[in-house]
Amino acid sequence: MRVVTTLALCVNDYQATLKRKDTTGDEWPAVIKACHKRCAQRTFEVMEKNGSIFIKLGQHLSSMNYLLPEEWTTTFVPLQDHCPVSPFESIAKMFLNDTGSSLAQHFENFEQTPIGAASLAQVHLATMKDTGKKVAVKVQHPALKEWVPLDLTLTRWTFSTLKRFFPEYDLEWLSSEMESSLPQELDFALEGNNALRTREYFSKLDSLPLVVPNVMWGMKRILVMENVSGHRTDDLDFLDSNGIDRDEVSATLARVFNEMIFGDTPLHCDPHGGNIAIRKNTARRKPNFDIILYDHGLYRDIPKQLQRDYAKLWLAVIEADEKNMRKYAYDVAGITDEQFPLFASAITGRDYGTVTKSVISTRSDAEKQEISGAMGEGMLQELVQLLGKVPRIILLILKTNDLTRSLDENLHTREGPLRNFMILARYCSRTVFQEQMETIGQADSILWPYKLIRLTEAWASFMRVELKLSFAATVLGKNGAAGEQTGQEDLGYEQMPTSKRLLIAVSGIPGSGKTTFANLVAHRLNDIRNELAPGCSSTPIAAFIPMDGYHLSREQLSAMPDPATAHGRRGAAFTFDDRSFLNLVKTLREPLLPESKTVYAPSFDHAIKDPVADDIPINPTARVVIFEGNYLSLNQGLWKEAAELMDELWYVDVDFTTARGRLVARHVKAGIAKDEEEAGRRVDENDLVNGRDIFEGRLEVQEIVVSVEDESWRPETQEVKI
């Protein structure tokens, strides 16, 4: 009756506390937090005393910090690691009963004190008698065989009784889930098969440093495995002292579990902190660690259609597309419009107002306090009722999502949630693309022209997402070994000293689209910065500097020895002030200091067809400077000298025929030529002549971006000014 009494006390405590809200004034946050803590501590003590499946229940609750108050989840964290230990004598007796032979017949040595204990089992180190190999032996608590049926009955009866007295707190879904999952978790032979299946799948993914201990043999209550040990992933002292990048750890975990959700392998559904470890790996430079995954008893295969709908739901969340969020929330979990705000907060761990704007901003203390306070104002009741209606597989996926989210916060990463959302977005994008390819492949072959159009549209949609993610990843330094494998070092400004700017030069032939691209990258970086730090729009993190401002003026061209050629070839390398451009780059290469002033670059006024001096400000807050121009990767004179000062050179590649068509249309639209014929002559005699010089004289670059026709990337569509 301890459980019933404690639950009744907690409910009454909340009700009494809520009645005091109007009388506590400014003290209310402290009052409700104290109530959370009292109730959590009462519940923790009961679960610890009851042991067995009650500890398993507490572990589940400890991972529900997507909405439960922090006082609850942190109070239950000890249940992940510190559980009752069964006496060695009972373990030896069980081993003899189950195998028909003693421990001594199997092991040269068997340590009587376990190295770890969990709610259902404990692990002992041992040495195999036949091979001398050091192994970890997982043995079930012997008493479970007798007590689990009774505990499940008690849990079911308790929640049923609680529902009769307090219908707003319907927790019967928890007992139903435990009755469904416990038989699997108690079958160690099944766990061994799950481990081997996962081990085989991830062994083919070289980019993911996941280690699943090998299984020697297993029975219903005994599992003998390879001994692989490590530290908790939130052991920050271990990570920092061994030079292990916290952001890499967080991103690796995100990729591992997204692979399980969206890949062709089952999902590990019990991923609390006690089931994950990390060890240093000196055999490779990056990443220099391994993630170790234990306890493979509770697995679920996610149906293909659910994977696809879930991917579409998350793409809608990331795009803050509320209409599609609601649609796919219904498809995935049967969520109604009335339930949607709470469900959206549950899957993202964010306040609903944030979800409808941007989920990639860092969760502030104020937002955490807002969610915690809402728990005391009826949201907890709504959450309990909602979870009772959501399909069990969705609850398990939510649990996995929450793991990566909470680990990211516990790791105190530099990049916050942005990188993990980018990883999730990439998995979602690929899942949706694969569905589109499958659908197109099933279409009648007689419609092959239509299939080709659909294939092109699907590929363009997929690449649009991939390119946008890659742009942000490359510049913000998200392309580590656990992000996307590029074979390059992280060059994001966040990995650079605060006294240094990240300088990127984007070049290409005329008509390649480099101006739109470079401007868009800077524009998007500032958008991301504003989402991560609302209110910082007045201090942009990225600056866009087009080379147009370094055109020689018409007066300077007229003063040249051959004015007619100078004016006719305007746009050629010799018609630019390369010396002044080099001086700007040198200035921006100087260390940023507290006393650093705003630097100015020239712009180009197309109305007067001349540059305007000191028209583009580059503030000291601008940590990323993106230059754009024809000759920024030219292996010649002062252009080469400026290129060598850049951190990265990017080249926008386009075929000359496509570029010619763009330039002809541009010249007619701008009034530079009266018709397409005149524009064509100008392009052939000047622009593409310059283009060949650029193409043939290009230095080696770090990134090549292929330019394709895509209406959605036009400047006006992207809402950027060129």
Side-chain angles (χ1 to χ4, degrees):
M1 295 300 295
R2 280 194 295 250
V3 176
V4 178
T5 303
T6 300
L7 285 172
L9 283 172
C10 289
V11 173
N12 287 332
D13 195 349
Y14 272 114
Q15 290 177 338
T17 301
L18 289 173
K19 290 178 181 178
R20 298 171 51 201
K21 181 179 180 183
D22 294 335
T23 62
T24 55
D26 294 339
E27 297 179 0
W28 171 246
V31 170
I32 189 63
K33 284 175 71 70
C35 179
H36 290 325
K37 187 63 179 179
R38 286 193 305 272
C39 294
Q41 189 61 40
R42 290 189 195 112
T43 307
F44 171 79
E45 291 171 1
V46 169
M47 289 179 169
E48 191 174 40
K49 288 177 181 177
N50 283 14
S52 183
I53 67 171
F54 292 96
I55 289 180
K56 176 63 70 174
L57 176 61
Q59 291 174 344
H60 180 80
L61 294 174
S62 74
S63 69
M64 292 177 64
N65 65 349
Y66 42 83
L67 273 183
L68 287 182
E70 183 181 5
E71 292 76 19
W72 279 85
T73 56
T74 56
T75 298
F76 290 160
V77 165
L79 295 176
Q80 296 179 0
D81 297 297
H82 306 295
C83 299
V85 174
S86 296
F88 173 72
E89 292 74 17
S90 66
I91 296 297
K93 182 179 179 181
M94 182 189 74
F95 192 94
L96 179 61
N97 290 338
D98 286 14
T99 66
S101 53
S102 67
L103 289 169
Q105 290 176 276
H106 287 269
F107 306 105
E108 186 71 33
N109 176 60
F110 190 96
E111 295 187 10
Q112 296 189 15
T113 302
I115 59 171
S119 57
L120 304 182
Q122 59 195 48
V123 178
H124 296 257
L125 290 180
T127 304
M128 299 288 289
K129 197 162 190 175
D130 53 349
T131 64
K133 186 177 181 63
K134 198 86 167 180
V135 294
V137 184
K138 180 176 180 179
V139 289
Q140 198 172 115
H141 293 304
L144 288 178
K145 185 175 183 180
E146 177 182 356
W147 287 104
V148 161
L150 180 61
D151 286 346
L152 284 174
T153 301
L154 175 60
T155 304
R156 183 170 59 252
W157 178 84
T158 298
F159 289 144
S160 177
T161 302
L162 179 66
K163 180 181 178 181
R164 285 201 298 271
F165 284 98
F166 306 102
E168 66 272 26
Y169 292 95
D170 181 4
L171 293 171
E172 286 189 308
W173 62 270
L174 268 177
S175 61
S176 297
E177 172 58 28
M178 295 187 74
E179 288 185 51
S180 171
S181 63
L182 264 177
Q184 296 182 52
E185 295 187 80
L186 292 173
D187 186 348
F188 289 0
L190 174 63
E191 175 179 346
N193 290 333
N194 289 338
L196 291 174
R197 182 180 172 188
T198 303
R199 177 184 172 88
E200 181 182 5
Y201 180 85
F202 281 95
S203 68
K204 300 172 184 176
L205 302 179
D206 295 335
S207 63
L208 288 177
L210 181 70
V211 173
V212 176
N214 196 16
V215 175
M216 279 64 178
W217 58 270
M219 300 178 67
K220 185 80 172 178
R221 298 195 290 176
I222 303 166
L223 190 63
V224 181
M225 306 166 288
E226 175 188 12
N227 178 36
V228 183
S229 61
H231 293 253
R232 284 183 62 97
T233 54
D234 57 2
D235 186 346
L236 303 185
D237 289 339
F238 170 76
L239 300 181
D240 295 344
S241 63
N242 283 276
I244 296 174
D245 192 319
R246 302 180 192 182
D247 290 82
E248 294 288 347
V249 175
S250 175
T252 298
L253 289 167
R255 291 193 67 206
V256 165
F257 287 107
N258 275 304
E259 189 67 44
M260 289 183 169
I261 291 173
F262 297 106
D264 295 322
T265 187
L267 173 66
H268 187 302
C269 296
D270 194 21
H272 61 75
N275 286 339
I276 303 172
I278 187 169
R279 69 178 183 184
K280 187 167 185 178
N281 186 333
T282 57
R284 60 173 175 267
R285 189 174 65 86
K286 199 170 188 182
N288 62 342
F289 60 85
D290 293 320
I291 296 294
I292 309 165
L293 191 59
Y294 305 116
D295 197 352
H296 304 270
L298 184 57
Y299 269 61
R300 289 285 192 279
D301 285 288
I302 302 176
K304 183 65 70 177
Q305 191 56 49
L306 178 59
Q307 287 180 327
R308 292 167 173 176
D309 289 341
Y310 189 68
K312 294 169 187 173
L313 170 63
W314 268 108
L315 286 177
V317 169
I318 292 168
E319 293 290 333
D321 181 351
E322 186 174 354
K323 179 180 178 181
N324 275 327
M325 275 192 261
R326 290 178 180 272
K327 173 186 177 349
Y328 291 110
Y330 181 80
D331 291 346
V332 165
I335 300 300
T336 65
D337 282 345
E338 183 181 358
Q339 297 168 328
F340 175 74
L342 183 59
F343 179 75
S345 292
I347 66 171
T348 61
R350 309 304 300 272
D351 176 71
Y352 178 61
T354 302
V355 175
T356 56
K357 296 176 183 176
S358 172
V359 295
I360 63 174
S361 58
T362 302
R363 191 164 67 159
S364 65
D365 290 338
E367 185 182 352
K368 293 178 185 178
Q369 185 64 42
E370 179 71 21
I371 292 177
S372 179
M375 281 297 156
E377 299 175 0
M379 187 182 288
L380 182 58
Q381 297 176 20
E382 294 177 28
L383 173 62
V384 169
Q385 294 167 6
L386 175 63
L387 294 181
K389 299 173 183 177
V390 170
R392 299 283 78 81
I393 185 64
I394 296 299
L395 289 178
L396 294 171
I397 293 174
L398 290 181
K399 185 178 177 183
T400 301
N401 282 343
D402 188 59
L403 166 77
T404 55
R405 185 165 54 242
S406 62
L407 277 175
D408 184 75
E409 291 186 352
N410 292 337
L411 285 166
H412 303 289
T413 58
R414 296 183 303 271
E415 298 159 353
L418 174 58
R419 187 178 193 179
N420 286 352
F421 274 118
M422 290 171 66
I423 293 169
L424 171 62
R426 183 164 272 117
Y427 273 94
C428 292
S429 174
R430 292 175 182 176
T431 299
V432 172
F433 176 68
Q434 288 167 1
E435 179 187 18
Q436 291 173 326
M437 291 297 97
E438 183 179 307
T439 302
I440 293 170
Q442 293 172 350
D444 195 332
S445 61
I446 197 171
L447 299 176
W448 69 266
Y450 175 62
K451 287 175 66 174
L452 181 60
I453 293 172
R454 292 181 64 192
L455 175 63
T456 304
E457 290 174 345
W459 178 252
S461 177
F462 169 69
M463 288 305 300
R464 184 160 56 250
V465 176
E466 287 287 299
L467 287 171
K468 289 179 181 179
L469 291 172
S470 296
F471 298 157
T474 301
V475 179
L476 288 176
K478 312 302 180 190
N479 277 338
E484 289 302 310
Q485 299 300 312
T486 63
Q488 298 178 25
E489 295 294 324
D490 288 343
L491 287 173
Y493 77 89
E494 292 176 312
Q495 280 69 50
M496 302 181 75
T498 56
S499 61
K500 187 178 180 181
R501 287 185 169 100
L502 177 67
L503 305 185
I504 299 173
V506 181
S507 62
I509 70 172
S512 63
K514 61 186 177 297
T515 307
T516 301
F517 168 71
N519 196 348
L520 181 59
V521 171
H523 185 81
R524 291 290 184 261
L525 286 174
N526 287 323
D527 284 347
I528 292 170
R529 167 58 180 237
N530 294 339
E531 290 166 351
L532 292 172
C536 291
S537 58
S538 60
T539 57
I541 201 71
F544 167 62
I545 309 298
M547 202 183 70
D548 275 356
Y550 290 93
H551 272 290
L552 293 175
S553 67
R554 289 182 295 167
E555 182 180 351
Q556 289 173 305
L557 295 176
S558 297
M560 285 186 167
D562 187 351
T565 300
H567 282 280
R569 290 292 316 280
R570 197 177 198 188
F574 71 86
T575 67
F576 283 89
D577 186 355
D578 52 0
R579 173 68 63 183
S580 293
F581 178 74
L582 175 60
N583 289 339
L584 173 71
V585 176
K586 287 181 176 179
T587 299
L588 295 176
R589 266 284 72 112
E590 294 175 0
L592 283 169
L593 303 171
E595 60 269 23
S596 293
K597 304 295 184 182
T598 297
V599 177
Y600 290 89
S603 67
F604 189 85
D605 188 331
H606 289 275
I608 64 173
K609 300 180 181 179
D610 265 338
V612 179
D614 299 333
D615 194 44
I616 302 176
I618 308 170
N619 298 313
T621 58
R623 296 287 312 286
V624 182
V625 180
I626 300 178
F627 301 94
E628 170 276 323
N630 292 342
Y631 306 106
L632 300 191
S633 61
L634 189 64
N635 188 13
Q636 183 183 105
L638 298 181
W639 296 114
K640 179 182 179 182
E641 201 173 325
E644 290 172 345
L645 292 174
M646 301 291 177
D647 292 293
E648 285 206 0
L649 300 178
W650 295 359
Y651 184 80
V652 180
D653 193 22
V654 67
D655 65 85
F656 277 72
T657 301
T658 299
R660 186 181 190 281
R662 294 174 180 175
L663 290 167
V664 168
R666 182 190 303 174
H667 289 340
V668 173
K669 182 178 180 180
I672 296 174
K674 63 181 180 181
D675 54 32
E676 291 188 358
E677 183 179 352
E678 181 182 334
R681 285 196 302 273
R682 178 179 176 84
V683 169
D684 293 335
E685 296 171 4
N686 186 40
D687 295 308
L688 294 187
V689 173
N690 299 335
R692 292 187 186 91
D693 292 340
I694 295 164
F695 181 78
E696 293 170 2
R698 192 191 78 197
L699 291 163
E700 183 177 349
V701 299
Q702 285 75 43
E703 296 285 345
I704 294 180
V705 180
V706 178
S707 178
V708 297
E709 288 299 311
D710 186 342
E711 290 294 322
S712 67
W713 278 78
R714 290 188 179 278
E716 56 271 23
T717 305
Q718 293 291 333
E719 298 181 358
V720 296
K721 297 179 180 179
I722 302 300

